[in-house]
């Protein structure tokens, strides 16, 4: 334990984080089992130890910013490789990598798991945490000052990139609560078919979209057969899985009318991996993984021509802060 503690303390110092230090981003350790938990399970161990209240920090965001900026995950794995006695702790991530390379965790049989375990937790939570139209993806803050403005700006940016015209038909893969569909139908005069794997999303989306030319389906994207003038997918590609990227693009190609456009909005990784973070997969988004530019590029070969690439990833920080503020403001309504 003493060797493990020493290594982790040294790594934290490289991120300018002090054990039981006075600054708001310094970690306060209340149970030293934290050290072995992190060594055994890495990010999952760190998260589960936080749930168990083995550690705390005043400013979680500042703490994680420093971990990420110092690339502590890379340093951690390098430290394991340098110490033969610690190699046993490298078995878990290696096993996860191999399993993800061999098995498809996002088959059609498993497609609805993410809906059941995440999006179906309750519309009462999402209705108070998100903007008034219930967009659950990154807002576009270039000229916006509020969450509502940022999300409306994002939806409008998408409509403009697609050059939407009245009377066109749009497929929205992963439509959520129908926020984009409503924006496009109201302001651009199009009709929309939205597909989701969440029963709760479908129920509320149908209510919110009443009176508009919008159809909401509980359906896996692979089962869509019709053709549309344009296709959009906003914040759903993270649930597709790398073994299905090519299939996903083939479905989009199959469902697109000649001359149509497909706009994909997704979070992404700057490295290629068959699997995602274990903490996120276990507790937030089951079976999820972030695509890399390489993976997306390979998936569209001989299917699509890349016309536009627009990154506004830093806007996600503002979006997350706004969601967190809404959550805190409405905690008394939610905690009961």
């Amino acid at each position: 334990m003493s060797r493990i503690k020493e290594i982790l303390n040294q790594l934290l110092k490289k991120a300018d984080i002090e054990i039981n230090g006075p600054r708001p981003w310094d970690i306060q350790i209340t149970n030293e089992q934290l050290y072995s938990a992190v060594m055994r399970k890495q990010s999952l161990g760190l998260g589960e130890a936080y749930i168990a209240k083995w550690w705390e920090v005043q400013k979680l965001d500042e703490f994680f910013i420093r971990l990420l900026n110092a690339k502590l995950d890379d340093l951690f794995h390098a430290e394991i490789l340098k110490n033969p006695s610690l190699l046993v702790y490298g078995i878990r991530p290696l096993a996860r990598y191999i399993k993800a390379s061999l098995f498809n965790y996002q088959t059609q049989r498993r497609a609805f798991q993410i809906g059941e375990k995440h999006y179906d937790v309750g519309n009462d939570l999402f209705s108070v945490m998100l903007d008034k139209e219930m967009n659950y993806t990154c807002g576009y803050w270039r000229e916006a000052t509020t969450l509502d403005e940022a999300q409306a700006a994002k939806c409008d940016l998408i409509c403009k990139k697609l050059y939407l015209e009245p009377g066109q038909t749009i497929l929205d893969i992963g439509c959520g609560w129908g926020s984009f569909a409503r924006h496009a139908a109201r302001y651009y005069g199009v009709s929309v078919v939205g597909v989701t794997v969440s029963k709760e999303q479908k129920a509320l989306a149908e209510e919110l979209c009443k009176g508009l030319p919008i159809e909401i389906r509980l359906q896996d994207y692979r089962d869509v057969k019709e053709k549309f003038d344009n296709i959009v997918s906003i914040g759903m590609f993270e649930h597709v899985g790398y073994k299905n990227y090519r299939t996903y693009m083939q479905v989009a190609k199959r469902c697109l009318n000649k001359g149509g456009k497909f706009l994909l909005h997704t979070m992404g990784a700057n490295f290629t991996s068959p699997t995602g973070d274990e903490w996120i997969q276990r507790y937030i988004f089951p079976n999820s993984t972030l695509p890399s530019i390489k993976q997306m590029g390979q998936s569209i070969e001989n299917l699509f021509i890349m016309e536009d690439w627009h990154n506004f990833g830093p806007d996600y920080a503002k979006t997350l802060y706004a969601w967190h503020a809404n959550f805190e403001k409405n905690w008394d309504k939610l905690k009961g």
Side-chain angles (χ1 to χ4, degrees), residues 195-211:
V195 296
T196 175
V197 293
S198 165
K199 294 178 182 178
E200 291 293 321
Q201 282 188 336
K202 180 182 187 295
L204 184 54
E206 287 181 324
E207 182 181 332
L208 295 173
C209 294
K210 281 181 180 176

Side-chain angles (χ1 to χ4, degrees), residues 171 173 221 226-228 231 246-257 262 304:
L171 171 64
I173 303 175
Y221 69 92
E226 309 99 301
K227 286 189 175 290
F228 299 84
I231 299 176
R246 183 67 176 179
T247 298
Y248 181 88
M249 295 300 177
Q250 288 170 338
V251 169
K253 180 70 173 179
R254 180 186 75 206
C255 293
L256 197 61
N257 281 331
F262 172 38
F304 292 105

Side-chain angles (χ1 to χ4, degrees), residues 70-84:
K71 298 187 181 300
L72 232 61
D73 52 342
D74 292 339
L75 295 175
F76 177 82
H77 291 118
E79 197 67 38
I80 288 177
L81 292 174
K82 285 194 306 184
N83 293 270

Side-chain angles (χ1 to χ4, degrees), residues 214-229:
I214 298 170
E215 177 189 355
I216 305 295
R217 301 176 184 171
L218 187 67
Q219 186 178 42
D220 180 69
Y221 69 92
R222 284 161 284 207
D223 291 327
V224 180
K225 306 298 182 183
E226 309 99 301
K227 286 189 175 290
F228 299 84
D229 295 319

Side-chain angles (χ1 to χ4, degrees), residues 151-167:
Q151 295 293 14
K154 189 267 301 294
C155 288
D156 210 57
L157 178 66
I158 292 170
C159 292
K160 289 175 179 176
K161 284 181 179 289
L162 290 172
Y163 296 94
L164 295 189
E165 296 178 0

